[in-house]
Amino acid sequence: MNTIRQVPSRVKSRRTETNLGAEREHFDKQQLSSISKAINATETPVKEKHARRIILGTHREKGAYTFWSYALGLPLASSSILSWKFCHVLHKVLRDGHHNSLQDCMRHHSTLIEIGTLWGNLHDKYGQLVALYAKLLCTKMEFHVKHAEIRPNLEATDEVLERTAGTDINNVFQLTVEVFDYMDTELRLAETVIRQLNTSIAISTLTSGQCRLAPLIQVIQDCSHLYHFTVKLLFKLHACLPADTLQGHRDRFHDQFHSLKSFFNKARDMLYFKRLIQIPKLPDSPPNFLHAASLAKHVKPVVVIPDEDEPEQQDDDDDDPEPLIEVSEVTTSSVQAQPQQFDIFDQTFGPPNGGFDDRDLQIDSLKRDLEMLRAELERVKAEAQRYITQLKSQINSLEAELEEQRAQKQRALVENEQLRMELEATRRRNAEHENVQATFSEAEKRAQATEQRYNKLKEKHTELVSSHAELLRKSADTVKMLSATQQTQEEVERTKQQLSFEVDRIKQEADMRMEEQKFELEKLRRDLEEKMAEVTRMKANLQSNEKVGEQLNSSVTALQAEKERLMRSVSEKEAELSSLRQAAQAQQSSLQQERERSSREMGDLQGKLQEKVSREEQLKQKLLEEQFVLLQGTVTEAENIIQDAVAKLDDPLHVRCTSSPDYLISRAEATLGSIDKVKKGHTDFLTNMADAGGLVRALTQFSHLAADTIINGSATAHMAPTDHADRLTENCRGCATQSLQFLKDLKAKATVQRADPASIRIVVQKILHLGQELRPKGMDVRQDELGDLVDKEMASTSAAIEEAVRRIDEMMNQARKDTSGVKLEVNERILNSCTDLMKAIRLLVLASTDLQKEIVESGRGAATIKEFYARNSRWTEGLISASKAVGWGATQMVESADKVVLHTGKYEELIVCSHEIAASTAQLVAASKVKADRNSKKLTTLQQASRHVNEMAANVVGSTKTGLEHLEDKDTMDFSGMSLIKLRKEEMESQASVRIGKSVGE
């Protein structure tokens, strides 16, 4: 049996479970109310307080499970406005909700795709917006699931972006492409919304316009971060890859830059956005990724959401504020639990004395206190939210200032680098100046050294002059001594001693340049020792001494001239040095002026380059638009032509028109060829949208040929059996339907990429097969025979030419054995010319075979080769006849050449065969040229081979006539042993030969 003390503890546990259930029920009720009020079919924007409560609900339950459990029950397929507002709320949940919301939303990725596909197939303005918005949300979820480091609100630092990109350049390249795709979906949605506002009566001040414009706030926030990511990634790519490889990335970025700038400018001018968001301004021109220093000029665009000071008014009484923080104080819970314990106690045992208790008053007072605390908590929550908003705006402003400081730092680094480069240049100029100064000082030193050498030479010259005078005096003394030697032997001895002493002293004083003088003095000493009495020799010695003096005088003169030359060179060096100094100063001033002028010209050229680039972009865009307008006009005209042809199918006047299956087949084959040209033109246009000429020409030809095929198919059906007529008419209508669908795809930019004429080809091929079935059966009787006969005749012609060449070689060998002299020379010349002619004919047959294959492959279409020969039987018979004529001519020429060599035939027959071969080859060229394309290279080759055959035939004729003349000159007749009758007979035969030769030549 329970006591009274045990009752409160049991009641307390039940109270906890009851509170949790009540709180969960209240949370679910509040979320359902907020979702139903935020996502409805009314054309009004989603209220911020309802979206905020949904977002707070995701943070409270740490996911978006409750949101999706209620959202899946909404009738999204019944209302496009409802689906539009659902996408808006989902975008807010992805951006500002709990981080686990991304995984919960990813589980319903297929549902979102189905909603976008459903509304994209319906012709509804909001439906088109829902399709684009669903694609944007799918792209957003896929991107952030793949790159989990980047949060769905895209608020990531540069370090996070660098870590996500990694060091592998392939990953950076792939991440850049994904960011481009992300930005494309954002801009496509924004452009479509603004275009619908411009084409409708809704403006930004009306609720219908605001309903469309409200989601663009999140688009603006996403685009500002994506633009910053793109710039950073592209600069990183350009630092690692060549510029040509990234040309496509730069073009795509320029397109997105201009689209984003236009979107921001239009949104900035709308009154609706001015009180809700501060849209950043983009630079006038996109960054120059080819110049790494341009990264310093990039400033990250920052979007600021102003504070909302106006309090929100509650729409309904049941919209209670949701607490941001779990407030569960022990005292309050105990106070709340105690009255309920007493209530349960009273219900169990009854109230004391059955009267009113003071605890009721306490409960009422506590309820009032609780309401006051709730109101205070709501105020605290509002204040906290306002503080959070202010702090976010301050954080955004601080981030902007930080980016500006980084940009200034980067600019300072760039300026520092420029100053360092200028300092290096100044140092180099100073070093050059010091080198010039060193050169000048070295020149001065060389001048001083030259002056010293000059002084030394001058002193040496003085010594030499003094020594020369001394030697002259010594010579005079020597003469006196020699005269005295004639008197006495004693005086000679004394003179001898004096001369030897003088010679020794001169020898010590003379330098290296007096070697000759020393030699003479030594010679003189030896002569004096040997023959002291020989005066004549002494005179010779004196004369040699005089010569040495003259040499010394000449050396002194040379030294004076050298001194003058050195002085002149010193003065020239000084003048040159002064001129160099002046030139260096002038060059330095001119370099300074040139540097200033170059900097000014560089600034002007950069400005002009920017203007030219912008003008080229405008002209390129204008050219693309004009080309697409031209394509649209051509497509419209082609649609009119085909629609006119389809209208004739039901025209009663057209029932009397008939056509043959052969003509229908020719039209269908021409149409298939035009479809190939259209496909090629379409591929070229997608590659280069600035040139639609090829596609326009192909479409013009295709529309006329397709219309002609449709009309002739209907006319052929009028004479065909019922089954064939129905199938042919149905295929003609199918051809028109597929053609119009293909032209419709070409007419719109969104579908021009997926336009494919393959379905048209299938229908035209069916028409071609029906036409072939309707052809008379008698035409196919000789089908196999004609195709095989052409190949057999060409093969037999080639074999006949090979046999002719072989026989000519045999005749050449036989002629060399049997003949000699002039006859051998004539036979060799004729046979060589025949061999050259056969080789030329063989080349002609090969060229004709190649051209014939090209004609068959280009003209047969879907038919076989034998069917093509059967359809063109006359042309095939002409080929066969020409081939037979060429083979027969080659055989006849060999026979005639054999007779000429064996002297059993006439030379005129060989000339006639040459002309016949030229005529048959001309027939073969003409038969091949009938169906060949004029611009075909193989036709040109065939024509060159034909001209070569004619030249070789002319060589055969020329060599035959020349050989005949040589033989006539050699075989001069001896008329002495002939009678009158024989002479007359020979004269008549020679005249007949001359006339035959002339007639053949003509």
Side-chain angles (χ1 to χ4, degrees):
M1 177 174 161
N2 293 332
T3 61
I4 296 177
R5 293 181 180 178
Q6 293 174 341
V7 173
S9 61
R10 295 177 63 185
V11 171
K12 185 176 181 180
S13 63
R14 292 177 182 177
R15 169 62 179 152
T16 304
E17 295 175 358
T18 305
N19 284 340
L20 292 175
E23 288 177 1
R24 182 63 190 180
E25 182 179 359
H26 177 70
F27 172 74
D28 292 342
K29 179 181 178 183
Q30 192 178 38
Q31 286 293 303
L32 177 59
S33 175
S34 300
I35 292 172
S36 61
K37 290 179 179 179
I39 306 173
N40 51 44
T42 307
E43 195 173 6
T44 56
V46 176
K47 289 190 177 181
E48 188 66 25
K49 63 179 181 179
H50 299 149
R52 187 185 301 118
R53 287 174 183 170
I54 296 172
I55 292 168
L56 292 176
T58 62
H59 285 280
R60 181 171 180 176
E61 68 172 356
K62 296 180 175 54
Y65 177 78
T66 302
F67 168 75
W68 276 103
S69 64
Y70 290 131
L72 291 176
L74 296 173
L76 298 177
S78 61
S79 174
S80 57
I81 298 177
L82 185 71
S83 300
W84 172 252
K85 297 173 79 171
F86 164 73
C87 292
H88 184 194
V89 174
L90 181 58
H91 197 173
K92 281 179 169 288
V93 169
L94 286 173
R95 278 189 56 84
D96 303 327
H98 194 268
H99 59 85
N100 291 335
S101 300
L102 177 61
Q103 299 298 331
D104 293 338
C105 294
M106 198 64 191
R107 295 188 185 98
H108 304 280
H109 182 270
S110 59
T111 304
L112 201 58
I113 292 176
E114 291 175 359
I115 294 172
T117 305
L118 172 65
W119 287 109
N121 294 329
L122 300 178
H123 297 286
D124 184 81
K125 290 187 176 180
Y126 270 105
Q128 296 176 4
L129 296 179
V130 170
L132 293 175
Y133 212 161
K135 182 171 178 57
L136 167 60
L137 295 176
C138 291
T139 303
K140 186 179 186 69
M141 289 189 292
E142 292 167 359
F143 179 83
H144 292 291
V145 167
K146 184 177 181 180
H147 306 286
E149 300 88 351
I150 302 176
R151 299 293 299 274
N153 57 6
L154 294 172
E155 293 180 358
T157 61
D158 293 343
E159 290 78 9
V160 174
L161 182 62
E162 288 287 338
R163 188 164 61 252
T164 303
T167 57
D168 190 359
I169 197 62
N170 295 322
N171 295 337
V172 179
F173 192 92
Q174 182 63 28
L175 180 59
T176 307
V177 173
E178 292 174 359
V179 174
F180 275 143
D181 296 338
Y182 200 163
M183 178 74 86
D184 282 338
T185 56
E186 300 270 2
L187 293 176
R188 197 175 298 116
L189 176 62
E191 290 172 356
T192 307
V193 171
I194 294 176
R195 184 170 63 251
Q196 286 192 6
L197 288 178
N198 292 337
T199 57
S200 65
I201 61 174
I203 56 177
S204 62
T205 57
L206 300 179
T207 57
S208 59
Q210 292 177 358
C211 183
R212 289 186 175 94
L213 291 174
L216 296 189
I217 295 175
Q218 282 72 40
V219 173
I220 293 171
Q221 291 175 322
D222 289 348
C223 288
S224 63
H225 292 290
L226 290 175
Y227 169 76
H228 178 66
F229 291 169
T230 307
V231 173
K232 289 288 186 180
L233 291 173
L234 282 178
F235 271 112
K236 186 171 183 178
L237 283 176
H238 279 78
C240 302
L241 294 177
D244 295 339
T245 305
L246 301 173
Q247 181 64 41
H249 276 44
R250 289 197 300 275
D251 296 339
R252 190 172 181 183
F253 175 78
H254 287 168
D255 295 339
Q256 289 187 354
F257 174 80
H258 294 299
S259 300
L260 182 61
K261 186 175 181 181
S262 175
F263 167 47
F264 279 5
N265 292 335
K266 291 179 181 178
R268 197 180 295 111
D269 295 337
M270 291 184 180
L271 185 62
Y272 175 71
F273 291 112
K274 289 184 178 179
R275 64 184 181 84
L276 296 176
I277 188 172
Q278 292 182 6
I279 302 174
K281 290 186 178 180
L282 296 181
D284 295 334
S285 59
N288 184 9
F289 299 108
L290 301 178
H291 192 255
S294 299
L295 180 58
K297 301 179 182 178
H298 169 66
V299 179
K300 179 181 179 180
V302 179
V303 178
V304 180
I305 305 294
D307 299 336
E308 295 182 2
D309 296 332
E310 296 182 0
E312 297 179 354
Q313 297 178 355
Q314 295 182 355
D315 294 341
D316 301 313
D317 295 336
D318 58 347
D319 292 341
D320 295 330
E322 180 183 0
L324 291 175
I325 306 169
E326 295 285 343
V327 180
S328 58
E329 297 181 358
V330 177
T331 58
T332 305
S333 62
S334 63
V335 171
Q336 291 177 352
Q338 187 176 359
Q340 189 164 357
Q341 292 174 5
F342 290 148
D343 291 340
I344 297 173
F345 184 82
D346 292 341
Q347 291 177 5
T348 305
F349 300 99
N353 300 325
F356 185 75
D357 196 355
D358 292 336
R359 288 173 296 183
D360 295 333
L361 297 176
Q362 292 178 0
I363 289 171
D364 294 336
S365 63
L366 288 174
K367 285 183 178 179
R368 286 193 298 272
D369 293 340
L370 182 60
E371 292 296 331
M372 292 174 60
L373 287 174
R374 285 183 176 178
E376 184 67 23
L377 181 60
E378 184 65 27
R379 286 195 297 273
V380 170
K381 280 180 7 182
E383 188 71 20
Q385 186 66 26
R386 187 162 57 252
Y387 286 157
I388 289 171
T389 306
Q390 291 177 358
L391 288 175
K392 282 186 177 180
S393 62
Q394 290 178 3
I395 289 170
N396 291 333
S397 61
L398 289 175
E399 286 182 353
E401 291 178 0
L402 179 61
E403 291 294 332
E404 177 118 8
Q405 292 293 334
R406 287 179 180 173
Q408 290 179 0
K409 177 184 176 182
Q410 193 69 21
R411 286 196 292 271
L413 290 174
V414 173
E415 292 177 358
N416 188 15
E417 184 67 19
Q418 293 177 353
L419 291 174
R420 189 182 64 77
M421 293 172 64
E422 292 180 358
L423 180 60
E424 292 294 333
T426 306
R427 287 179 179 175
R428 287 196 297 272
R429 289 196 297 272
N430 291 335
E432 292 176 357
H433 182 67
E434 289 176 358
N435 292 332
V436 172
Q437 290 290 343
T439 305
F440 176 69
S441 62
E442 289 177 0
E444 288 183 348
K445 290 179 181 179
R446 287 198 297 271
Q448 292 176 1
T450 304
E451 185 68 24
Q452 292 176 0
R453 287 197 300 271
Y454 171 70
N455 292 330
K456 290 180 180 180
L457 288 173
K458 187 176 181 181
E459 293 175 358
K460 190 68 175 177
H461 173 65
T462 305
E463 291 178 359
L464 289 173
V465 170
S466 61
S467 64
H468 177 63
E470 186 68 23
L471 287 173
L472 289 176
R473 287 194 298 273
K474 296 291 174 57
S475 298
D477 295 339
T478 304
V479 170
K480 291 179 181 179
M481 289 177 183
L482 287 173
S483 61
T485 53
Q486 294 178 358
Q487 296 177 1
T488 60
Q489 185 68 27
E490 295 177 354
E491 292 179 357
V492 170
E493 291 292 337
R494 190 170 56 255
T495 303
K496 172 183 168 184
Q497 294 177 356
Q498 291 178 354
L499 285 174
S500 61
F501 177 76
E502 291 294 332
V503 167
D504 293 336
R505 191 170 63 82
I506 290 170
K507 187 165 144 184
Q508 294 176 358
E509 294 178 354
D511 53 26
M512 293 300 295
R513 295 184 180 180
M514 300 293 294
E515 289 294 332
E516 293 181 359
Q517 184 178 0
K518 288 180 181 180
F519 175 75
E520 294 296 334
L521 290 174
E522 290 176 357
K523 186 177 180 181
L524 179 61
R525 183 176 57 80
R526 289 193 299 271
D527 290 340
L528 288 174
E529 290 176 354
E530 293 175 357
K531 293 182 179 180
M532 302 300 292
E534 294 180 357
V535 178
T536 307
R537 192 166 182 178
M538 293 298 295
K539 289 182 179 180
N541 289 333
L542 290 174
Q543 291 178 358
S544 64
N545 288 332
E546 290 179 356
K547 291 180 180 180
V548 170
E550 292 177 356
Q551 290 178 358
L552 290 173
N553 289 331
S554 63
S555 65
V556 169
T557 305
L559 287 173
Q560 289 179 352
E562 181 69 18
K563 176 186 174 184
E564 293 177 357
R565 187 180 64 78
L566 290 174
M567 292 297 291
R568 286 196 301 271
S569 66
V570 168
S571 61
E572 290 176 357
K573 292 291 184 182
E574 290 178 352
E576 183 179 358
L577 183 60
S578 62
S579 64
L580 286 174
R581 288 177 180 174
Q582 294 176 358
Q585 294 176 356
Q587 187 177 7
Q588 188 173 3
S589 61
S590 64
L591 284 174
Q592 186 67 25
Q593 295 175 359
E594 184 69 21
R595 189 180 297 107
E596 294 175 355
R597 185 175 63 82
S598 298
S599 62
R600 290 194 301 270
E601 290 180 354
M602 183 65 69
D604 297 339
L605 290 174
Q606 286 180 352
K608 292 179 180 178
L609 181 61
Q610 293 294 335
E611 293 177 359
K612 184 177 180 182
V613 168
S614 61
R615 189 165 58 252
E616 286 181 354
E617 291 293 335
Q618 294 175 359
L619 291 175
K620 187 184 294 183
Q621 189 65 27
K622 185 177 179 182
L623 177 61
L624 291 175
E625 293 176 357
E626 290 179 351
Q627 289 294 318
F628 196 74
V629 169
L630 175 62
L631 178 61
Q632 286 179 335
T634 305
V635 169
T636 303
E637 187 64 28
E639 287 178 345
N640 294 334
I641 292 172
I642 293 177
Q643 287 172 357
D644 181 65
V646 175
K648 290 182 179 179
L649 296 179
D650 299 327
D651 190 356
L653 298 177
H654 184 65
V655 176
R656 298 181 179 179
C657 296
T658 59
S659 178
S660 65
D662 289 333
Y663 187 69
L664 176 61
I665 290 170
S666 65
R667 294 295 86 197
E669 289 175 349
T671 305
L672 289 174
S674 67
I675 290 173
D676 294 334
K677 294 181 181 179
V678 167
K679 188 171 184 179
K680 183 178 181 300
H682 180 246
T683 305
D684 296 339
F685 176 70
L686 292 180
T687 304
N688 182 17
M689 289 193 176
D691 184 12
L695 183 56
V696 168
R697 291 190 293 272
L699 284 175
T700 304
Q701 183 185 14
F702 164 73
S703 61
H704 287 285
L705 291 174
D708 200 5
T709 302
I710 293 169
I711 294 172
N712 284 282
S714 176
T716 305
H718 294 160
M719 297 181 63
T722 305
D723 185 20
H724 287 80
D726 294 340
R727 288 163 55 194
L728 190 57
T729 305
E730 182 181 355
N731 286 324
C732 290
R733 294 185 186 275
C735 177
T737 303
Q738 296 297 331
S739 300
L740 292 175
Q741 181 62 35
F742 173 68
L743 295 174
K744 181 181 178 182
D745 292 340
L746 287 179
K747 205 171 183 180
K749 288 185 178 180
T751 58
V752 69
Q753 301 244 355
R754 65 169 183 263
D756 189 7
S759 57
I760 307 174
R761 172 184 289 279
I762 294 171
V763 178
V764 175
Q765 286 177 349
K766 291 181 180 179
I767 295 174
L768 179 63
H769 290 317
L770 287 173
Q772 291 174 351
E773 291 178 2
L774 292 173
R775 291 178 63 187
K777 300 301 180 180
M779 297 180 64
D780 298 331
V781 174
R782 296 177 54 84
Q783 178 176 348
D784 297 333
E785 296 179 4
L786 279 176
D788 295 336
L789 189 58
V790 171
D791 297 334
K792 289 178 181 178
E793 285 300 328
M794 297 302 288
S796 62
T797 302
S798 301
I801 293 171
E802 295 291 339
E803 180 66 18
V805 172
R806 187 185 63 78
R807 288 188 60 188
I808 289 173
D809 291 336
E810 292 178 357
M811 286 188 284
M812 178 74 75
N813 296 329
Q814 190 65 31
R816 287 172 182 170
K817 293 178 181 178
D818 299 336
T819 58
S820 62
V822 178
K823 288 186 178 181
L824 177 60
E825 181 180 356
V826 170
N827 291 336
E828 285 183 348
R829 188 179 300 161
I830 292 173
L831 293 176
N832 286 331
S833 61
C834 290
T835 303
D836 294 337
L837 178 59
M838 290 299 130
K839 292 180 180 179
I841 294 172
R842 181 169 56 187
L843 294 177
L844 177 69
V845 171
L846 293 176
S848 176
T849 305
D850 293 338
L851 180 60
Q852 173 189 345
K853 292 179 180 178
E854 181 181 357
I855 293 170
V856 172
E857 290 298 328
S858 62
R860 68 187 181 92
T864 61
I865 297 175
K866 293 181 179 180
E867 291 174 351
F868 178 83
Y869 283 128
R871 274 202 315 267
N872 303 275
S873 57
R874 292 185 179 179
W875 176 71
T876 306
E877 290 173 359
L879 276 178
I880 295 170
S881 175
S883 301
K884 288 182 177 179
V886 171
W888 179 83
T891 305
Q892 289 300 117
M893 171 167 276
V894 172
E895 297 294 338
S896 299
D898 191 10
K899 292 178 180 179
V900 168
V901 172
L902 297 175
H903 304 289
T904 58
K906 297 181 179 180
Y907 288 90
E908 289 78 11
E909 294 178 359
L910 191 60
I911 295 173
V912 171
C913 288
S914 300
H915 287 293
E916 287 180 354
I917 285 178
S920 23
T921 54
Q923 180 185 356
L924 182 60
V925 172
S928 301
K929 188 177 178 182
V930 170
K931 288 189 173 293
D933 187 7
R934 294 183 178 179
N935 298 323
S936 175
K937 295 182 179 179
K938 294 183 178 180
L939 177 61
T940 305
T941 305
L942 179 62
Q943 291 174 345
Q944 293 176 355
S946 175
R947 286 193 290 270
H948 186 54
V949 168
N950 292 333
E951 292 174 358
M952 293 299 102
N955 289 339
V956 171
V957 174
S959 60
T960 303
K961 290 182 178 180
T962 304
L964 183 61
E965 291 173 359
H966 286 177
L967 292 176
E968 288 177 355
D969 293 336
K970 180 178 179 300
D971 298 331
T972 305
M973 292 185 180
D974 186 10
F975 301 101
S976 58
M978 292 185 181
S979 62
L980 182 60
I981 297 173
K982 289 183 178 180
L983 287 174
R984 182 66 63 184
K985 181 180 179 181
E986 292 292 336
E987 182 180 0
M988 291 176 66
E989 287 180 355
S990 63
Q991 289 178 359
S993 299
V994 170
R995 289 178 181 176
I996 292 172
K998 288 183 179 180
S999 62
V1000 171
E1002 293 174 355

